[in-house]
Amino acid sequence: MPLKPMRIYSEQWSPSEEQINSLFPIDDIISEVGKDPGIKVFTDDEIRLKFPAQYNISVQARAYNQSLVELLHEYYEDYRYKPELAELLGVQLPQIMWVDTLGLEENLISLHITKLNKQEVFINDIILVKNIEFDSLSDGILDEVLNNLRRFAKDQGAKYLSGYAANKSTLELFKAKGFKEDKREGMGNDYLWGIAVVMGEQLPFYAEL
């Protein structure tokens, strides 16, 4: 018999349009990319239906936070790329995704965040490059985006800004920007950290705001 969630874990936030549109230093990005990236914004169910794999990264993170490991083992492998996972785990999280509309095979500019829990905004993904060779935008642009994210998270009542680094070199980059390795027991990240170190990917990091 399929497992069912015992309760629904959900969060709310209320960013203004001005706050949503203030994350990127667009003029500086245009200068380095050579054209306007035409940032488009997706939210909530738009992301869940259009980009379910990305949406489910934070659903998985919240499920670990709530010790829903049995449900994850039941459903994650079969539903990690499907929009139904959130309902099966009983996790409903507001999300925002910014992506460029340059029409390239890979995005040059992308940011995806979630209200992970009442104290935390979670970075699902961040890409800031200037061309298809994936040459990074200047360090100053990354600093400004991260500082804007910190401000955004504080405005939403968060005490922490966290995320998963794709690999160890990305983790070192975030550590150079003031983030720490995330081994917090109360968030389940001590368990996740152990798995991530073995796999060398999805390494948890966080910063206090």
Side-chain angles (χ1 to χ4, degrees), residues 47 54-55 95-97 110-113 122-125:
I47 304 170
Q54 290 92 321
Y55 183 94
Q95 305 191 17
I96 306 173
M97 178 186 285
S110 178
L111 175 64
H112 182 192
I113 64 173
F122 180 83
I123 303 170
N124 280 35
D125 189 37

Side-chain angles (χ1 to χ4, degrees), residues 48 61 76 88 90 103 115 117 133 162 202:
R48 185 176 64 83
Y76 189 71
L88 291 167
K115 182 69 179 295
N117 55 59
E133 282 74 38
S162 65
Q202 288 197 309

Side-chain angles (χ1 to χ4, degrees), residues 18-85:
E18 181 181 0
Q19 289 170 321
I20 290 172
N21 293 331
S22 67
L23 269 289
F24 295 99
I26 292 297
D27 290 343
D28 293 337
I29 291 174
I30 291 172
S31 177
E32 294 197 25
V33 173
K35 61 179 72 176
D36 188 337
I39 302 294
K40 185 171 183 179
V41 179
F42 298 92
T43 60
D44 303 333
D45 275 349
E46 289 181 295
I47 304 170
R48 185 176 64 83
L49 296 172
K50 191 174 180 64
F51 309 102
Q54 290 92 321
Y55 183 94
N56 288 337
I57 290 171
S58 57
V59 170
Q60 177 196 27
R62 179 61 187 264
Y64 274 119
N65 294 165
Q66 299 298 154
S67 300
L68 302 175
V69 176
E70 190 176 0
L71 285 172
L72 279 172
H73 288 167
E74 175 81 7
Y75 296 122
Y76 189 71
E77 285 305 316
D78 290 336
Y79 289 92
R80 65 188 301 179
Y81 301 112
K82 299 178 182 179
E84 295 86 0
L85 181 65

Side-chain angles (χ1 to χ4, degrees), residues 133-176:
E133 282 74 38
F134 263 54
D135 295 324
S136 296
L137 291 171
S138 66
D139 205 46
I141 289 178
L142 176 59
D143 286 340
E144 187 163 353
V145 171
L146 290 176
N147 286 336
N148 289 341
L149 264 177
R150 288 182 173 96
R151 187 179 306 111
F152 180 97
K154 277 186 175 181
D155 288 344
Q156 300 310 311
K159 295 182 179 179
Y160 304 99
L161 181 63
S162 65
Y164 292 163
N167 50 49
K168 292 178 181 178
S169 61
T170 304
L171 176 65
E172 292 304 315
L173 174 61
F174 278 102
K175 286 168 67 175

